[in-house]
């Protein structure tokens, strides 16, 4: 990705993003100039070529195909690869990237900001061509200066999150509408007191909470009007089970949504201990929901689709094509034994 050249007694690393920044144009424009595209004004072409000449920037043979120097390596950052959903997403990403001729460097960051910053910087030191952040937990609810700083050097792709910034491409699911529709279905099926249980307040979770509230508002004209509350129960699986047992004890709840399938399975186990049978819906449509007894209905956040789109968008960035900064796909409700919608609606 980087060209090393001698200038005086200094050795300088230059990449296409440096050229774009110094020329005050996009990386796509630099790519078009390098590839000889006619879709660039003479004035802009001259400005970019002068910057390239001054920097002694020389793309290699493969770079002329992609429009940038490349190590043919993509970095993937995930908080915990042992998580079933994240592991599946990493597998899809790796397969798609390898098919496109790229190797993958994977690092697990944990959930603490300092660790995420450190791992992102370590990935940049590996001279990867781009970084893919898996899951909204990889971003902060406020700030994200470390992500924006990285995007000044290489493309950053965020799966199921949203950070606004140059060279940042977001690919996410409309989980807000998915939860809103689920609340409507549960109310329409007779649920009057709904509960949303989550374990981390991330960007994704905030969308789900917004959908939960808007769904209840949508059903406010029902007679009687449904009520609902959201509660955070964090910790490992057993701790969530214990927390759910304590919370559900003597609670008037007749419909539960787990913010992900792991939480939903923990709630199912808690209900078993309490001898409760309450309609239950999870999220992510993972193997956990399919393997549970009874199987758990789940809102599919289309993670495999998001990964496929993310790789396509990344390859388009490398080719200098226009790529939307935010791609949003719709969720799908997968009905199973834990909640059957009225009239299959």
């Amino acid at each position: 990705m980087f060209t090393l050249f001698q200038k005086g007694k200094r050795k300088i690393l230059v990449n296409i993003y440096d050229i774009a920044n110094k020329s005050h144009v996009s990386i796509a424009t630099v790519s078009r100039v390098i590839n000889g595209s006619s879709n660039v004004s003479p004035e802009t072409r001259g400005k970019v070529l002068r910057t390239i000449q001054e920097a002694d920037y020389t793309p290699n043979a493969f770079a002329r195909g992609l429009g940038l120097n490349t190590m043919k390596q993509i970095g993937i950052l995930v908080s915990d690869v042992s998580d079933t959903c994240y592991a599946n997403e990493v597998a899809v990403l790796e397969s798609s990237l390898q098919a496109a001729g790229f190797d993958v460097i994977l690092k697990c960051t944990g959930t603490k900001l300092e660790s995420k910053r450190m791992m992102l910087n370590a990935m940049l030191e590996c001279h990867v061509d781009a970084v893919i952040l898996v899951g909204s937990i990889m971003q902060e609810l406020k700030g994200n200066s470390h992500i924006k700083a990285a995007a000044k050097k290489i493309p950053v792709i965020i799966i199921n999150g949203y950070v606004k910034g140059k060279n940042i491409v977001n690919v996410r699911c409309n989980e807000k509408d998915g939860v809103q529709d689920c609340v409507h279905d549960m109310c329409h099926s007779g649920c009057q007191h709904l509960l949303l249980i989550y374990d981390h307040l991330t960007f994704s979770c905030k969308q789900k909470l917004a959908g939960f509230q808007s769904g209840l508002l949508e059903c406010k004209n029902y007679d009687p009007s449904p009520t609902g509350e959201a509660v955070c129960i964090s910790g490992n699986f057993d701790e969530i089970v214990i927390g759910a047992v304590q919370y559900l004890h003597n609670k008037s709840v007749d419909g539960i949504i787990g913010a992900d399938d792991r939480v939903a399975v923990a709630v199912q186990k808690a209900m078993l201990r309490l001898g409760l049978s309450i309609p239950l819906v999870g999220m992510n449509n993972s193997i956990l929901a399919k393997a549970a007894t009874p199987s758990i209905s789940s809102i599919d956040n289309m993670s495999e689709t998001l990964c496929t789109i993310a790789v396509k968008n990344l390859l388009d960035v490398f080719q200098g094509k226009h790529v939307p900064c935010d791609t949003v796909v719709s969720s799908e409700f997968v009905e199973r034994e834990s909640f059957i919608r009225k009239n299959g609606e």
Side-chain angles (χ1 to χ4, degrees), residues 47-58:
K47 180 168 59 175
V48 172
L49 289 175
R50 284 193 297 273
T51 303
I52 289 174
Q53 185 176 16
E54 291 170 1
D56 195 23
Y57 173 78
T58 307

Side-chain angles (χ1 to χ4, degrees), residues 20-158:
N21 288 332
K22 291 178 182 179
S23 302
H24 303 292
V25 299
S26 67
I27 59 171
T29 297
V30 177
S31 175
R32 294 187 189 101
V33 172
I34 292 173
N35 287 316
S37 171
S38 60
N39 192 24
V40 182
S41 71
E43 180 182 358
T44 300
R45 183 185 304 278
K47 180 168 59 175
V48 172
L49 289 175
R50 284 193 297 273
T51 303
I52 289 174
Q53 185 176 16
E54 291 170 1
D56 195 23
Y57 173 78
T58 307
N60 61 30
F62 183 78
R64 288 190 170 89
L66 286 180
L68 70 163
N69 283 334
T70 179
M71 295 291 289
K72 297 192 73 175
Q73 290 183 330
I74 305 299
I76 297 178
L77 291 180
V78 60
S79 61
D80 183 3
V81 77
S82 69
D83 180 281
T84 303
C85 296
Y86 291 153
N88 185 59
E89 291 180 56
V90 169
V92 173
L93 288 170
E94 183 177 29
S95 176
S96 300
L97 289 167
Q98 286 185 344
F102 288 87
D103 290 327
V104 166
I105 298 177
L106 174 66
K107 291 184 181 292
C108 296
T109 67
T111 59
K112 293 183 178 180
L113 173 58
E114 187 55 39
S115 177
K116 288 185 279 188
R117 281 178 177 162
M118 181 180 68
M119 290 300 181
L120 180 55
N121 289 333
M123 202 64 87
L124 295 177
E125 292 175 0
C126 292
H127 294 174
V128 294
D129 299 318
V131 172
I132 300 176
L133 308 182
V134 180
S136 66
I137 198 169
M138 292 305 301
Q139 72 177 88
E140 309 309 307
L141 293 177
K142 295 181 181 179
N144 297 296
S145 59
H146 59 301
I147 295 176
K148 294 176 183 179
K152 292 180 180 179
K153 301 177 181 179
I154 58 175
V156 175
I157 313 295
I158 303 178

Side-chain angles (χ1 to χ4, degrees), residues 254-273:
D254 58 9
I256 302 175
I257 300 175
D260 60 51
D261 288 336
R262 171 176 169 268
V263 170
V265 173
V267 171
Q268 185 183 68
K269 192 167 184 178
M271 289 195 296
L272 180 63
R273 291 185 182 180

Side-chain angles (χ1 to χ4, degrees), residues 160 172-182 208 282-285 298-303 305-306 328-334 341:
N160 218 27
R172 57 194 175 97
C173 178
N174 188 350
E175 295 175 314
K176 177 180 181 292
D177 283 0
V179 173
Q180 178 177 311
D181 291 343
C182 179
K208 297 167 187 175
M283 286 201 72
N284 298 341
N285 191 34
S298 188
I299 302 169
D300 192 341
N301 67 353
M302 312 302 289
S303 61
T305 299
L306 297 181
V328 184
V329 303
S330 298
S331 64
E332 292 184 2
F333 186 85
V334 180
R341 293 172 293 180

